[in-house]
Amino acid sequence: MSDAIAPGRGGACDLPGRADLPGRADLPGRADLLARAARLDDGDPLAKLRERFTLPDGVVYLDGNSLGALPAAVPGAVEDVVRRQWGELLIRSWDESGWWTAPERIGDLIAPLVGASPGQVTVGDSTSVNLFKALVGAARLAAPGRTRMLVDATTFPTDGYIAASAARLTGLEVVPVDPSDAVREMTDATAVVLLNHVDYRTGRLHDLPALTRAARAAGALVVWDLCHSAGALPVGLDAHAVDLAVGCTYKYLNGGPGSPAYLYVAARHQDAFDSPLPGWNSHAEPFAMTPEYEPARGAARARVGTPDILSMLALESALGVWEGVDVEDVRAKSLALTDFFLECVAAYVPEGAVESVTPAGHGERGSQVSLRTADARAVMTELIARGVVGDFRAPDVLRFGFTPLYVSFADAERAARTLGHIFG
């Protein structure tokens, strides 16, 4: 393996299925891996970005796929919002501090990270609420006579719950599909397709361009959940003509616990987008207080109620870490990190103790590595006790999320070495 961080192999994976750990013959020793990690970190163009975050000393943090680390500028920004904007300016801050325009302003900061032009992303509410808006809105945009909503069968459970509710409301039938089989299920009866860009358990990256093309060819609208991809790899919503997308901001976007989610509505759909949750904030004249609802123009029609200003402005500050950062470079480092971690696991962990369930091919891998092992919960508890923080998914999966903005190759080596120590 070269010590250079090069762009990943695009396109379809030529090694289907799980990422087999490298063979144990001629595996490098600990000294070789430590030296490799040092060289990779020395040549990493993103290494200095770690300074933009506050991370505890002595901890390897590989759980950014659940909660991103704290950007160093956020505490000061939140203090200003509380003490000056709220404490001194009071209600004047809706105008003077830009509170009223925050949902679309912050949406435009997220837009380039998901490949969207300005004016198509609004921030607010939770991922679940935004998904409900997106699915019902998509069903109302669909051609008459269509009866089916295809739903990723491997999705995060809440997505399934929301989809079932949206289907009941719109009279559609929910059809669970594995993303690998979704194309053959897309027929002239399909109204809406809901898919996850990256599987939250395995880290499998699904083919957004191809699946979106297939949905459009079938005359269906597609809704993508970007929770485990935005901020970790290129998405290309505009380039691939995605209809609607949702995502959280507390993972790879580092917005903080409970930070507001976002909703993308392609410009071509905005005038016809009929939200199932119309609120005074999405009214064309919100302060007219009229009994009749008239939706706002553009992305603002996806709003509902009063924005959560404290967490929203914390998110705005957090997004400052992306200044000058190219998502393509982030993707290249992500693939290099996960490749190196898998190599280290093969060198340090006894053969047969763990099995990777993350695809081997770069075209099918997100920014996490999931390892299956017996007693996974106890293993992760011990890892955390030893200063390596990942997470556990029932019944037997260890998840390690690699956030390239602050995770180093030395972190990857130490995490694998610690896992090896646990297995003896």
Side-chain angles (χ1 to χ4, degrees):
M1 179 188 294
S2 167
D3 287 341
I5 301 175
R9 301 185 295 275
C13 164
D14 57 1
L15 294 173
R18 299 185 296 255
D20 294 328
L21 296 171
R24 303 192 68 82
D26 301 321
L27 284 170
R30 174 183 174 187
D32 291 337
L33 290 171
L34 283 168
R36 282 264 306 289
R39 289 197 302 272
L40 286 164
D41 284 330
D42 286 344
D44 177 13
L46 302 183
K48 288 187 68 64
L49 296 177
R50 189 179 179 109
E51 299 172 358
R52 299 182 182 182
F53 293 86
T54 298
L55 289 157
D57 292 337
V59 171
V60 172
Y61 189 63
L62 301 182
D63 207 8
N65 53 323
S66 285
L67 177 65
L70 172 66
V74 168
V78 171
E79 182 176 16
D80 179 71
V81 173
V82 172
R83 292 188 180 278
R84 183 183 65 84
Q85 297 181 33
W86 178 15
E88 297 176 15
L89 296 179
L90 297 166
I91 201 167
R92 292 160 49 196
S93 275
W94 284 105
D95 292 322
E96 296 180 26
S97 300
W99 289 0
W100 185 258
T101 58
E104 288 69 54
R105 182 178 72 245
I106 302 171
D108 284 345
L109 294 177
I110 293 173
L113 302 178
V114 294
S117 57
Q120 299 177 99
V121 178
T122 190
V123 172
D125 305 312
S126 66
T127 306
S128 299
V129 172
N130 282 322
L131 182 61
F132 181 73
K133 290 185 279 186
L135 289 175
V136 175
R140 291 173 175 175
L141 288 166
R146 291 176 177 254
T147 59
R148 306 170 86 213
M149 177 186 293
L150 304 187
V151 177
D152 185 341
T154 63
T155 190
F156 189 74
T158 297
D159 282 19
Y161 308 154
I162 295 294
S165 177
R168 289 194 299 272
L169 182 65
T170 57
L172 298 179
E173 174 195 5
V174 170
V175 180
V177 295
D178 187 287
S180 61
D181 297 325
V183 172
R184 73 188 66 175
E185 294 288 343
M186 295 179 190
T187 69
D188 57 8
T190 306
V192 181
V193 181
L194 168 63
L195 296 166
N196 284 262
H197 198 190
V198 174
D199 185 281
Y200 79 101
R201 288 189 187 89
T202 66
R204 176 181 289 275
L205 172 65
H206 298 301
D207 192 341
L208 181 147
L211 288 165
T212 301
R213 285 195 302 271
R216 287 176 60 82
L221 286 93
V222 64
V223 179
W224 283 96
D225 183 328
L226 308 178
C227 286
H228 288 268
S229 60
L233 52 90
V235 177
L237 294 178
D238 285 354
H240 302 302
V242 168
D243 298 300
L244 300 103
V246 301
C248 63
T249 61
Y250 48 80
K251 293 182 172 66
Y252 296 109
L253 298 183
N254 310 294
S259 56
Y262 57 90
L263 171 59
Y264 164 89
V265 181
R268 65 185 180 278
H269 292 310
Q270 288 179 359
D271 287 346
F273 179 71
D274 181 9
S275 172
L277 297 173
W280 78 284
N281 250 242
S282 62
H283 197 286
E285 296 290 340
F287 293 100
M289 303 299 174
T290 59
E292 297 80 20
Y293 178 73
E294 178 186 350
R297 299 293 301 274
R301 72 168 52 198
R303 292 189 183 197
V304 183
T306 305
D308 186 344
I309 291 299
L310 297 183
S311 60
M312 189 169 290
L313 297 188
L315 168 62
E316 183 172 32
S317 174
L319 291 170
V321 302
W322 289 93
E323 183 178 356
V325 178
D326 190 323
V327 179
E328 294 284 354
D329 293 336
V330 172
R331 176 61 168 163
K333 182 178 176 182
S334 165
L335 292 171
L337 278 168
T338 50
D339 279 344
F340 183 63
F341 177 70
L342 285 167
E343 184 179 358
C344 292
V345 168
Y348 290 137
V349 178
E351 188 170 8
V354 298
E355 174 195 15
S356 176
V357 295
T358 300
H362 288 181
E364 289 188 278
R365 188 192 307 169
S367 199
Q368 74 184 55
V369 172
S370 295
L371 302 176
R372 177 173 290 139
T373 187
D375 299 321
R377 183 189 294 274
V379 171
M380 183 53 68
T381 299
E382 183 61 23
L383 276 169
I384 293 171
R386 297 185 187 206
V388 176
V389 180
D391 69 12
F392 158 79
R393 284 293 177 266
D396 57 2
V397 172
L398 306 171
R399 292 197 317 171
F400 301 93
F402 291 83
T403 304
L405 300 187
Y406 54 77
V407 173
S408 69
F409 290 89
D411 289 337
E413 187 277 337
R414 180 183 156 194
R417 177 159 37 90
T418 304
L419 186 62
H421 288 163
I422 290 172
F423 282 106

